[in-house]
Amino acid sequence: MRRTIALITALLVVGAIALGVAAVVRSRGSAAPSPPPPPAPPKPFRIVFPEGFARRDMAERITAVDEIALRKRGVRPRLSAQAYLKATSGKVRVPGFGRTRYPFEGFLFPATYDFFKNTPSKQLVRDQLDAFTENWHVNLHYATRKNLTPYDVLIIASMIEKEVRVRSERPLVAAVIYNRLHARMPLGIDATIRYALDVPATESLRESQLHDPTPYNTRLHAGLPPTPIANPGLASIQAAAHPAKVDYLYFVRKPDKRHHFFTASKTAFDNYSRAHGY
């Protein structure tokens, strides 16, 4: 009798386990399928602003990138040259430059920026201003001793950016600018005239342009131009704050169109210029 009861009990236990397993299998088989994975985030667009681009150059680059986005990805970004120019047409207060508001030129830091289809132009401008603030960690002690403000240093950096192609020459051009300011000599940097009259570097300046009365004509007017003439990178900013300790007052581009001849002598400058047909 005891064996029969034990056998029956064992069969009941096994049966209960089998029923439980079957229930689990049925519940798994009838469960709803897993939800599909979320869609991948949209791939950003990318825009590159080289060092030395002026505000108008950046607007042209935006137009070019918008056309590429439409042609290659069928997307028309919200970002536009017109909106960008409008967003940068006023003045802005920048940390490290006091309470004065300045034109945007010079503060639109040149770098690579990502944006999306619906990114507004104002957001790109904010990103550029933030990048400038992050990179403006410059020791201005020497410039301050020369009675130059942070904005003066930024203007000098913009001129260096437009004049120099070889990195090692940036502090030398900065020295020429400092020395000429100290001597109250006109700077004679033609890039300032090109900026004011929108003359590309591929075109020669005409005699009438060299005598244009624009306040950006540093052949006619002593001192710095009213604003930066480009948006400089960090290397030019550092050079503007730390010029070379040399007595140069003149420089002229060498025939290779990359390097410059530097001198403190007007006679040496004139002789070199004549010898190379300038």
Side-chain angles (χ1 to χ4, degrees):
M1 180 63 68
R2 284 197 297 270
R3 288 197 189 109
T4 301
I5 293 172
L7 179 59
I8 292 172
T9 302
L11 290 173
L12 290 173
V13 170
V14 171
I17 292 173
L19 289 173
V21 171
V24 170
V25 171
R26 283 196 303 273
S27 66
R28 288 184 178 179
S30 60
S34 300
K43 182 180 178 181
F45 299 96
R46 182 158 290 176
I47 189 166
V48 180
F49 294 135
E51 297 170 346
F53 259 31
R55 172 173 157 265
R56 58 183 171 239
D57 301 318
M58 292 176 172
E60 292 176 1
R61 177 60 58 88
I62 289 172
T63 297
V65 170
D66 283 350
E67 291 174 353
I68 293 172
L70 182 60
R71 184 175 67 253
K72 291 190 173 181
R73 291 170 57 178
V75 173
R76 190 182 299 277
R78 182 178 174 187
L79 196 68
S80 73
Q82 183 178 5
Y84 182 83
L85 290 174
K86 182 178 180 181
T88 57
S89 62
K91 294 185 177 182
V92 64
R93 185 180 294 133
V94 179
F97 287 77
R99 297 187 59 80
T100 302
R101 291 182 177 273
Y102 295 102
F104 281 80
E105 195 80 278
F107 297 105
L108 301 169
F109 197 73
T112 299
Y113 297 91
D114 288 345
F115 68 97
F116 296 92
K117 175 183 176 181
N118 293 319
T119 300
S121 298
K122 287 184 178 181
Q123 180 61 55
L124 176 58
V125 174
R126 284 195 294 268
D127 291 344
Q128 288 185 275
L129 294 175
D130 289 344
F132 178 88
T133 301
E134 291 172 4
N135 283 275
W136 183 259
H137 298 296
V138 185
N139 186 331
L140 296 175
H141 292 332
Y142 183 81
T144 301
R145 292 203 304 270
K146 300 298 181 181
N147 297 317
L148 296 175
T149 67
Y151 195 60
D152 293 335
V153 171
L154 186 63
I155 292 173
I156 293 171
S158 74
M159 292 188 289
I160 294 170
E161 196 69 73
K162 298 303 290 186
E163 287 289 330
V164 180
R165 295 188 180 182
V166 178
R167 186 184 183 97
S168 61
E169 291 187 354
R170 297 178 194 270
L172 299 177
V173 171
V176 171
I177 295 173
Y178 271 69
N179 293 340
R180 281 183 165 249
L181 289 174
H182 179 73
R184 299 186 183 279
M185 297 172 61
L187 299 180
I189 293 180
D190 289 345
T192 61
I193 302 175
R194 293 183 181 278
Y195 174 78
L197 304 182
D198 197 15
V199 180
T202 54
E203 294 181 12
S204 298
L205 288 169
R206 298 191 300 271
E207 194 68 23
S208 61
Q209 293 169 330
L210 295 175
H211 292 89
D212 191 286
T214 170
Y216 287 87
N217 190 332
T218 52
R219 287 184 176 228
L220 298 180
H221 309 295
L224 297 172
T227 70
I229 62 171
N231 294 278
L234 189 57
S236 291
I237 292 172
Q238 291 289 356
H242 306 286
K245 303 301 189 292
V246 293
D247 61 354
Y248 297 150
L249 289 169
Y250 305 91
F251 66 93
V252 62
R253 186 157 291 174
K254 291 182 177 181
D256 67 1
K257 297 184 178 181
R258 286 181 51 80
H259 297 81
H260 290 87
F261 170 77
F262 294 89
T263 181
S265 166
K266 178 68 162 59
T267 301
F269 170 77
D270 289 340
N271 290 339
Y272 187 92
S273 298
R274 282 194 297 269
H276 294 88
Y278 300 138

